[in-house]
Amino acid sequence: MKKNTILYILLAFLIIANGFFLVNYLGRSRKPDGQKGPGDFIVKELNFDASQMERFHLLNEDHRLKMKAVFENERHLKDELFNKISEKSMDETIDSITTLIGNNAKLKDVSTFYFFKNIEKICNDQQKKQLDKLINGALRREGRPSGNPPPPRKQH
């Protein structure tokens, strides 16, 4: 009987531990303040009113769909490029594919530029200044993990 009691206690402990894990790690949103993504961050930072939010969400959805297609095209092109590794003398094909990848990168940048230009159109003057700060801040952090400061420069 004593062995069964220990097993029951161990079983209860494991059930409680699993419940704790499920509630704390799977039940919570992974983003702070319930944010769903960069769009929500922009809405919050610019303090959009209801009309602006509606227009922003339309712009954001349109941009998201365009970018999804661009990223899918980029993935396809890069797969095609790296599938050519085992082939011999494919210089012209490689050049063509990398040119298409470059054009795709240009399309991403142009689409993103006009997305922010369209956001600016729905902003008032104060929001436009705040949008400029947000964009410039994001550009300074681009390419750095987690927005960490750049490493110190070596003195010669």
Side-chain angles (χ1 to χ4, degrees):
M1 184 72 179
K2 190 173 185 171
K3 287 184 181 180
N4 286 342
T5 306
I6 292 172
L7 288 175
Y8 289 134
I9 292 171
L10 183 59
L11 181 63
F13 172 76
L14 290 174
I15 290 171
I16 292 169
N18 282 334
F20 176 79
F21 173 77
L22 290 172
V23 168
N24 285 313
Y25 294 101
L26 299 178
R28 291 185 184 165
S29 172
R30 295 201 191 320
K31 296 184 182 182
D33 300 326
Q35 292 179 354
K36 294 183 177 104
D40 291 333
F41 175 76
I42 291 171
V43 167
K44 180 183 171 196
E45 289 297 310
L46 298 179
N47 197 25
F48 280 158
D49 62 27
S51 172
Q52 288 173 314
M53 281 184 11
E54 185 177 327
R55 291 167 51 200
F56 172 79
H57 287 301
L58 291 173
L59 289 172
N60 193 39
E61 183 64 20
D62 182 54
H63 178 69
R64 191 183 64 74
L65 292 173
K66 286 178 184 175
M67 295 306 283
K68 181 180 177 184
V70 170
F71 281 112
E72 286 174 1
N73 186 40
E74 179 179 33
R75 187 181 67 238
H76 170 73
L77 289 169
K78 287 186 177 185
D79 286 347
E80 190 175 335
L81 174 68
F82 288 103
N83 286 335
K84 303 285 184 194
I85 287 176
S86 62
E87 297 180 20
K88 295 182 173 123
S89 67
M90 301 297 299
D91 291 340
E92 290 178 17
T93 304
I94 301 306
D95 187 52
S96 296
I97 295 171
T98 54
T99 298
L100 291 172
I101 291 171
N103 290 341
N104 207 53
K106 176 183 174 184
L107 181 59
K108 280 192 294 190
D109 289 342
V110 169
S111 294
T112 301
F113 173 83
Y114 283 111
F115 171 65
F116 284 110
K117 195 71 176 158
N118 287 329
I119 291 173
E120 183 185 50
K121 290 178 183 177
I122 65 173
C123 292
N124 62 34
D125 291 337
Q126 182 181 359
Q127 291 169 330
K128 287 178 183 179
K129 290 176 186 174
Q130 183 64 19
L131 179 63
D132 286 341
K133 287 179 187 177
L134 290 174
I135 292 170
N136 288 327
L139 290 175
R140 282 190 213 101
R141 286 188 298 273
E142 185 175 294
R144 281 190 249 142
S146 304
N148 293 330
R153 292 185 180 198
K154 294 180 182 178
Q155 299 293 327
H156 292 285

